[in-house]
């Protein structure tokens, strides 16, 4: 299904009881194919790749193979690129055009290395460049929707001007992380800012930040009127949150183990995903023990012994 069709369905109350779409955020290292397939089984409508550096992606086949894998069931999927110029962005987009359903430009990564490279949240100070990126993608890759994921400025008027300029360039939808680049993830999301952005645009808007439960998602929708809600850390801790689970259900963990083994997930990512999922399940003593496991077979043995995991 096309990405824009998802927004059409969610806004049509006659065809669907759902008023907004559920989105899995782009997460460095974590939102790869096995995890995307997992969350799709628990009411996630749209997934993103991790943030991918456009320059490296266009230059290196090794980088492409490491950063991006997909299959026919991985749909709809948006690839998120980080770039500090339109040329690298376009060349990377042209390589991927037949494998995804949309291209997103990261304008929100707050990490210092990203700011220094002129990517991520640094682009929030370069509206002309962002507009040129959007225009370049829309003109040269017309078959794919183009979106941007942003953070907000301290002065919300500046953000509204930013998104309206992006809209005038033809951006298809916008995701808003409701914090500034300097705010910590523990600080509250500015829902009023997201609401104002939504009210000033004609295109769909997705809200991001502080979504850890289905109730959080519904409250943010009610307070902002957005077209979609996006979760990152919430889905890491509980990939089934959009299906209404308060904690990660055991069948979700079993599915993740099966998918990870099938797709060849490396030990580091496999271990970290499970630590997130078991955060509210394991005792502190077990967490310490679990953290010492240095291989996937050792992790599987632990899950068999302590939780009754049935290997296939």
């Amino acid at each position: 299904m096309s990405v824009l069709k998802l927004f059409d369905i969610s806004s049509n109350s006659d065809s669907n009881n759902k008023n907004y779409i559920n989105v899995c955020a782009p997460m460095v290292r974590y939102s790869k194919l096995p995890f995307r397939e997992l969350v799709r089984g628990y009411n996630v409508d749209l997934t993103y790749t991790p943030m991918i550096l456009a320059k490296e992606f266009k230059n290196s086949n090794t980088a492409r193979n490491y950063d991006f894998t997909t299959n026919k069931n991985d749909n709809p999927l948006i690839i998120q690129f980080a770039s500090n110029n339109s040329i690298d962005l376009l060349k990377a987009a042209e390589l991927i055009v037949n494998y995804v359903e949309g291209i997103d430009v990261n304008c929100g990564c707050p990490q210092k290395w990203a700011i220094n490279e002129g990517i991520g949240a640094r682009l929030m100070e370069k509206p002309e460049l962002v507009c040129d990126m959007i225009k370049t993608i829309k003109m040269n890759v017309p078959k794919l929707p183009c979106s941007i994921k942003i953070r907000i400025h301290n002065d919300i008027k500046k953000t509204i001007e930013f998104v309206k300029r992006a809209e005038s360039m033809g951006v298809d939808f916008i995701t808003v992380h409701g914090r500034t680049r300097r705010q910590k993830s523990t600080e509250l999301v500015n829902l009023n800012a997201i609401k104002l952005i939504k009210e000033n645009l004609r295109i769909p808007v997705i809200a991001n930040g502080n979504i850890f439960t289905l109730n959080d998602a519904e409250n943010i929708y009610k307070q902002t009127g957005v077209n979609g809600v996006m979760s990152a850390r919430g889905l890491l801790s509980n990939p089934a949150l959009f299906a209404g689970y308060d904690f990660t259900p055991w069948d979700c963990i079993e599915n993740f183990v099966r998918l990870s083994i099938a797709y060849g997930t490396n030990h580091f990512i496999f271990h970290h995903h499970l630590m997130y999922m078991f955060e509210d399940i394991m005792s502190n003593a077990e967490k310490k023990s679990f953290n010492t496991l240095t291989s996937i077979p050792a992790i599987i043995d632990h899950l068999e012994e302590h939780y009754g995991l049935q290997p296939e």
Side-chain angles (χ1 to χ4, degrees):
M1 177 183 290
S2 74
V3 176
L4 299 182
K5 180 68 74 173
L6 279 177
F7 291 119
D8 290 340
I9 291 175
S10 67
S11 64
N12 187 349
S13 59
D14 293 332
S15 64
N16 199 314
N17 292 324
K18 195 171 173 183
N19 296 307
Y20 59 88
I21 66 172
N22 301 324
V23 187
C24 178
M27 293 175 278
V28 174
R29 294 188 298 273
Y30 295 119
S31 50
K32 291 181 176 286
L33 178 58
F35 189 71
R36 297 196 302 263
E37 186 167 329
L38 177 72
V39 296
R40 289 185 196 277
Y42 295 93
N43 282 357
V44 165
D45 304 300
L46 177 63
T47 65
Y48 283 64
T49 69
M51 181 183 76
I52 295 172
L53 299 177
K55 182 178 180 179
E56 302 302 324
F57 192 84
K58 76 175 181 63
N59 286 339
S60 169
N61 188 57
T62 300
R64 290 192 289 275
N65 289 335
Y66 177 79
D67 287 334
F68 182 79
T69 55
T70 189
N71 60 33
K72 64 180 181 179
N73 298 317
D74 191 25
N75 178 289
L77 173 66
I78 292 178
I79 190 166
Q80 187 187 73
F81 284 122
S83 183
N84 58 16
N85 67 86
S86 298
I87 296 173
D88 286 346
L89 177 64
L90 176 59
K91 289 182 177 179
E94 289 174 336
L95 290 170
I96 207 72
V97 64
N98 293 320
Y99 302 97
V100 297
E101 285 68 53
I103 295 170
D104 186 77
V105 180
N106 185 310
C107 302
C109 180
Q111 296 185 47
K112 288 184 179 179
W113 71 266
I115 302 299
N116 292 338
E117 290 289 328
I119 62 176
R122 183 69 180 89
L123 293 178
M124 294 303 298
E125 307 305 323
K126 298 184 177 182
E128 296 86 0
L129 175 55
V130 174
C131 285
D132 185 65
M133 289 178 170
I134 295 167
K135 182 179 178 180
T136 298
I137 293 297
K138 294 297 293 182
M139 288 181 62
N140 294 283
V141 194
K143 69 177 287 186
L144 291 181
C146 176
S147 60
I148 57 175
K149 185 173 185 291
I150 70 168
R151 285 187 175 239
I152 59 174
H153 301 90
N154 289 319
D155 181 357
I156 190 58
K157 292 180 181 178
K158 189 174 180 180
T159 312
I160 291 173
E161 179 183 353
F162 184 100
V163 296
K164 291 182 80 169
R165 290 182 68 176
E167 183 180 51
S168 72
M169 288 295 103
V171 75
D172 291 286
F173 63 95
I174 293 176
T175 299
V176 182
H177 184 122
R179 297 184 180 95
T180 69
R181 87 180 204 199
R182 292 183 173 84
Q183 282 184 287
K184 297 179 180 179
S185 60
T186 53
E187 296 184 58
L188 291 177
V189 168
N190 188 336
L191 295 183
N192 286 332
I194 297 175
K195 183 174 185 289
L196 281 170
I197 291 168
K198 171 59 183 171
E199 290 173 347
N200 277 274
L201 296 176
R202 298 181 300 276
I203 56 175
V205 174
I206 298 173
N208 176 221
N210 274 19
I211 296 174
F212 294 95
T213 67
L214 184 58
N215 190 55
D216 291 339
E218 292 172 347
N219 285 339
I220 285 178
Y221 164 71
K222 289 175 183 176
Q223 292 184 57
T224 62
V226 291
N227 306 89
V229 291
M230 174 186 285
S231 178
R233 290 178 297 138
L235 281 174
L236 283 180
S237 298
N238 179 10
L241 80 84
F242 283 124
Y245 290 91
D246 294 327
F247 304 99
T248 305
W250 177 246
D251 67 336
C252 182
I253 293 173
E254 285 187 317
N255 287 338
F256 176 72
V257 170
R258 174 181 54 81
L259 289 166
S260 295
I261 292 174
Y263 288 120
T265 300
N266 68 48
H267 165 262
F268 176 86
I269 294 176
F270 183 68
H271 186 258
H272 276 240
H273 268 298
L274 289 171
M275 282 303 299
Y276 279 114
M277 294 182 203
F278 277 107
E279 177 65 29
D280 296 317
I281 299 173
M282 286 183 177
S283 66
N284 288 333
E286 186 182 0
K287 288 176 186 176
K288 290 181 181 179
S289 175
F290 194 78
N291 272 332
T292 66
L293 302 176
T294 58
S295 70
I296 289 179
I299 294 172
I300 299 300
D301 287 344
H302 181 94
L303 296 180
E304 287 180 21
E305 179 181 352
H306 294 276
Y307 296 92
L309 177 72
Q310 297 295 317
E312 295 185 357

